[in-house]
Amino acid sequence: MLQIYNTLTKQKAPFKPLVEGHINMYVCGITVYDYCHIGHARVMVCFDVITRYLRSRGWNVNYVRNITDVDDKIIRRANENNETVEQLTERMIAAMHEDEDALSVLRPDQEPKATAHIDEIIALVSTLIEKDFAYPAANGDVYYRVEKFAEYGKLTNQNIDELRSGSRVAIDEAKESPLDFVLWKAVKPGEVSWESPWGAGRPGWHIECSAMSKCCLGDTFDIHGGGPDLPFPHHENEIAQSEAANGCAYANYWMHAGPVRVNSEKMSKSLDNFFTIRDVLGKYNPEVVRFFLARVHYRSYIDYSEESLKEARVMLERFYQSLNGMAGYEYSKEDADQVNISDFEQRFNAAMDDDFNTPKAVSVLFEMVNELNKLKKSSEAGAAAMAHKIAELGGIIGLLQQDPDAFLKGDDKEGEVDASAIEALIQQRTAAKGSKDYAESDRIRDVLAAQGVILKDSREGTSWFREG
């Protein structure tokens, strides 16, 4: 049975969908004012793995991930660039999709934009005003009355009295309470805006997700996910808005990905340890980056470092080295049964059913690699069956779908010897061995090894791969 850790209840429990066999999931997406960074990649990959696995087990998943395409940062950046908000956001959305495609992140079923749901946002704010959970202020903004929602703080165990005592209000503050947050912002000079019953303006960040999730999934849905920085105040405010307006539970399960740290420090531009996805992909194979992100449990923090990525490369190489050359072999169901493939598959699924425990699932895949290497010496058909299942289970989490030989040879990077030069040196080495010039043969092997190219001799000839 699938077990999920629920941030709301602070415990792991069996998953029970609203509709048998169906899962409606909403994940807070990107604010598209800049290129996506490695923290965004973590959330993308986490929920992609979760979605892939659920579908592999027969669930009908409706995965919604929004795009925030209007907010303060976007407006400020567009002005700095001397371009429109739409020009900036469309460019950044295209870049985000490029990054996702490189990381083999499947597109969500729905990808609503905030600017396409202004009518729904205005309707939701109007409902909150009608129910006295919100009020228009003298400055033209509309605010949510936090203290009227009795359960405010339930997601993150925030005490409203402590929140109030820790807040400060400026003398000219238009809010009734320091805790109140904005639902609709009055337009300022040079800003994009829409007409509303309270004057021209634009939505606050929190109300956007409440409106978009309601539009795509209804008043109550199964899973709400997001990054580590969202539980407070963003998700807390979403709950307050949606449950006050709709009069029912918002999301039944809350899931949050863990943070990315850089050499054990918080990632920050001010610390000069901030990496965009494309920065990282310029140095590492995209599958290495995906494996690095996916092999750590989604709720755990992950430490980004050159050493961690090199380790991920070495681990992935081990998979592909074992799978290399296995595609052409045939096998039967009986061959698979004889090598206990079903036992490995059951343990893989059991790990993933336990709150998507990818570290344990990956460890099962490594056990299968060990078994594959043994079977290569005793059972060609059994080895083929094991290799097929390794690739199949790896595919469930978006891994091991490349041609092994192509992965091991890799793309030519700046500063690396290119593939044609490697092949030429291998031919020279083969000729040297043919003439029994073993000193020259060893010299060429050492030259390539010094450049991270490892040779592997067999009856069929010499193959090679790049060392991580």
Side-chain angles (χ1 to χ4, degrees), residues 322-323 326 329-331 335 339 341 371-390:
S322 296
L323 294 173
M326 297 302 303
Y329 292 101
E330 296 182 355
Y331 66 93
D335 296 320
V339 294
I341 283 179
E371 190 65 22
L372 168 60
N373 292 333
K374 295 176 185 175
L375 288 168
K376 286 179 178 179
K377 301 174 183 177
S378 60
S379 172
E380 192 174 272
M386 186 66 69
H388 177 83
K389 184 57 67 173
I390 290 170

Side-chain angles (χ1 to χ4, degrees), residues 39-297:
H40 293 140
R42 176 83 195 282
V43 178
M44 291 173 179
V45 170
C46 282
F47 286 98
D48 183 65
V49 168
I50 287 167
T51 302
R52 285 172 179 266
Y53 176 70
L54 291 171
R55 287 175 176 158
S56 78
R57 300 290 281 161
W59 292 94
N60 184 345
V61 182
N62 183 10
Y63 176 25
V64 180
R65 193 191 63 210
N66 77 292
I67 293 174
T68 295
D69 60 344
V70 59
D71 87 331
D72 293 338
K73 293 177 180 178
I74 292 171
I75 293 170
R76 185 162 53 248
R77 181 61 58 83
N79 289 336
E80 291 170 357
N81 294 350
N82 195 28
E83 62 184 331
T84 67
V85 164
E86 185 177 10
Q87 287 171 334
L88 171 64
T89 58
E90 289 303 313
R91 186 161 52 83
M92 289 299 103
I93 290 169
M96 176 186 73
H97 287 155
E98 290 174 2
D99 292 341
E100 286 183 305
D101 292 345
L103 292 171
S104 298
V105 172
L106 303 175
R107 301 286 171 81
D109 299 290
Q110 300 180 69
E111 200 169 39
K113 298 177 185 177
T115 57
H117 291 79
I118 298 297
D119 290 345
E120 292 89 344
I121 291 168
I122 290 173
L124 188 56
V125 174
S126 297
T127 297
L128 290 167
I129 291 174
E130 290 167 8
K131 292 190 172 186
D132 202 35
F133 279 95
Y135 58 94
N139 64 356
D141 293 347
V142 178
Y143 293 99
Y144 183 92
R145 286 190 174 98
V146 167
E147 294 177 62
K148 186 174 174 61
F149 185 69
E151 294 186 284
Y152 190 83
K154 64 181 178 179
L155 179 68
T156 54
N157 290 334
Q158 300 283 341
N159 182 290
I160 202 160
D161 292 329
E162 292 177 357
L163 289 172
R164 190 190 304 110
S165 65
S167 300
R168 295 290 182 269
V169 187
I171 295 173
D172 62 345
E173 182 61 72
K175 295 190 289 186
E176 293 177 353
S177 164
L179 301 184
D180 296 347
F181 58 87
V182 68
L183 301 173
W184 186 262
K185 293 186 174 185
V187 65
K188 294 181 177 65
E191 290 187 346
V192 62
S193 66
W194 292 263
E195 290 300 322
S196 81
W198 320 285
R202 58 187 172 86
W205 176 38
H206 311 301
I207 197 68
E208 293 175 354
C209 283
S210 285
M212 285 186 282
S213 61
K214 178 182 175 72
C215 179
C216 295
L217 300 176
D219 292 351
T220 305
F221 51 94
D222 297 297
I223 298 173
H224 195 314
D229 55 335
L230 296 183
F232 186 86
H234 184 53
H235 287 164
E236 206 70 78
N237 291 350
E238 279 188 63
I239 291 172
Q241 296 163 163
S242 296
E243 296 191 358
N246 302 328
C248 57
Y250 182 35
N252 287 340
Y253 297 82
W254 288 82
M255 301 177 67
H256 293 94
V260 174
R261 298 175 186 167
V262 179
N263 294 316
S264 300
E265 290 187 312
K266 182 177 180 180
M267 187 171 66
S268 168
K269 287 185 177 179
S270 63
L271 296 175
D272 197 28
N273 64 358
F274 182 89
F275 300 96
T276 67
I277 295 174
R278 45 197 58 202
D279 287 337
V280 180
L281 296 182
K283 298 177 66 176
Y284 294 94
N285 182 295
E287 188 170 357
V288 171
V289 180
R290 183 182 175 98
F291 181 62
F292 161 72
L293 296 169
R295 72 185 182 94
V296 176
H297 193 279

